[in-house]
């Protein structure tokens, strides 16, 4: 497999930390970029593979098993292995850019290993809840879901990242309480350096 023509950027982090905003902003500025969102790989609501939280009578959407990661991995690999249509890409830049975003992105070893740069945006529990409580999800969060599933699963995931020394050393952690524009500027500057 060759990914020599691709620069792969991975954006992950806690719920409501600004991952999608950042991804879309980078995509807009980086003309040679393609985006793949992990959120597009959630299993359908009626899929038997979902894990139910009995006390909430609600599925746990915070688990990697709530997504079709085989499909995402295959989509990413087939894109990298394909030759992009030259007409879509600028001749002045010799790399095409793949931006991957998802709250459990680095849990998939194959995808994580493909990323040339890995960013993980953090927030405190209070900041995360403050943003999440005003968001609409499909299916909607039930009362207690943030406390019972969202936050504990995030802490578990972050803890796994910290304990995996090799992975941890490749991730840039970013304080999500900074303004969205400031976070964008930090990452955009790094990517421009990588492309120069």
């Amino acid at each position: 497999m060759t990914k020599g023509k691709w620069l792969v950027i991975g954006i992950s982090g806690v719920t409501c930390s600004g991952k999608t905003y950042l991804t879309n902003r980078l995509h807009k500025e980086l003309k040679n970029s393609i985006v793949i969102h992990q959120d597009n790989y959630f299993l359908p609501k009626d899929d038997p593979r979902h894990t139910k939280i009995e006390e909430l009578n609600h599925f746990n959407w915070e688990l990697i098993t709530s997504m079709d990661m085989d499909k995402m991995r295959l989509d990413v690999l087939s894109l990298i292995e394909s030759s992009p249509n030259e007409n879509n890409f600028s001749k002045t830049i010799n790399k095409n850019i793949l931006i991957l975003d998802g709250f459990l992105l680095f849990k998939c070893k194959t995808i994580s290993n493909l990323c040339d740069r890995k960013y993980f945006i953090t927030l405190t529990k209070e900041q995360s809840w403050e943003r999440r409580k005003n968001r609409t999800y499909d299916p909607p969060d039930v009362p207690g879901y943030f406390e019972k599933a969202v936050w504990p699963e995030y802490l578990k995931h972050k803890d796994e990242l910290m304990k995996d020394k090799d992975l941890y050393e490749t991730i840039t952690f970013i304080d999500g309480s900074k303004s969205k524009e400031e976070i964008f500027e930090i990452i955009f500057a790094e990517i421009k350096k990588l492309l120069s």
Side-chain angles (χ1 to χ4, degrees):
M1 176 191 50
T2 171
K3 73 174 197 83
K5 290 191 170 186
W6 290 90
L7 175 69
V8 184
I9 309 294
I11 296 168
S12 192
V14 66
T15 182
C16 300
S17 57
K19 298 181 294 294
T20 305
Y21 171 86
L22 175 61
T23 299
N24 293 340
R25 189 89 166 68
L26 288 169
H27 180 47
K28 188 178 167 199
E29 294 297 329
L30 298 163
K31 303 302 178 212
N32 277 30
S33 64
I34 291 175
V35 172
I36 295 181
H37 297 283
Q38 189 177 35
D39 279 1
N40 293 336
Y41 293 88
F42 276 112
L43 299 170
K45 293 177 208 170
D46 58 357
D47 194 290
R49 289 172 286 180
H50 281 297
T51 302
K52 196 170 191 180
I53 306 167
E54 291 302 336
E55 60 188 294
L56 297 178
N57 193 27
H58 192 74
F59 289 139
N60 189 343
W61 297 90
E62 312 311 307
L63 305 172
I64 195 82
T65 50
S66 68
M67 298 177 198
D68 188 345
M69 288 307 295
D70 287 338
K71 180 163 178 17
M72 182 176 184
R73 192 178 68 247
L74 288 172
D75 286 354
V76 168
L77 290 174
S78 65
L79 178 67
I80 285 173
E81 288 166 2
S82 70
S83 298
N85 180 344
E86 296 297 331
N87 301 329
N88 293 340
F89 294 101
S90 156
K91 300 284 185 282
T92 57
I93 301 173
N94 61 4
K95 287 246 185 218
N96 304 303
I97 301 152
L98 174 57
I99 307 168
L100 303 171
D101 109 272
F103 71 113
L104 294 175
L105 197 62
F106 307 138
K107 240 177 140 57
C108 175
K109 273 272 187 270
T110 306
I111 289 174
S112 181
N113 290 341
L114 284 171
C115 295
D116 297 292
R117 296 292 303 166
K118 300 182 188 89
Y119 298 99
F120 191 95
I121 309 172
T122 62
L123 288 172
T124 65
K125 184 179 183 181
E126 293 70 29
Q127 291 164 336
S128 181
W129 168 244
E130 208 44 49
R131 295 180 187 187
R132 177 139 183 149
K133 69 181 184 182
N134 299 315
R135 295 269 293 270
T136 307
Y137 291 90
D138 180 26
D141 283 357
V142 296
Y145 183 71
F146 182 83
E147 289 288 340
K148 288 276 180 207
V150 177
W151 194 253
E153 293 297 348
Y154 162 68
L155 290 180
K156 201 185 297 178
H157 174 51
K158 190 173 168 216
D159 189 50
E160 283 170 12
L161 294 181
M162 310 286 256
K163 284 179 176 162
D164 184 338
K165 193 169 170 289
D166 293 337
L167 175 59
Y168 177 75
E169 288 174 355
T170 66
I171 297 174
T172 301
F173 289 86
I174 294 175
D175 177 1
S177 65
K178 292 180 171 157
S179 77
K180 287 177 176 180
E181 196 52 34
E182 194 180 343
I183 293 170
F184 163 74
E185 291 295 348
I186 291 167
I187 293 175
F188 188 53
E190 281 193 16
I191 293 170
K192 279 201 297 192
K193 255 189 221 166
L194 288 172
L195 291 169
S196 61

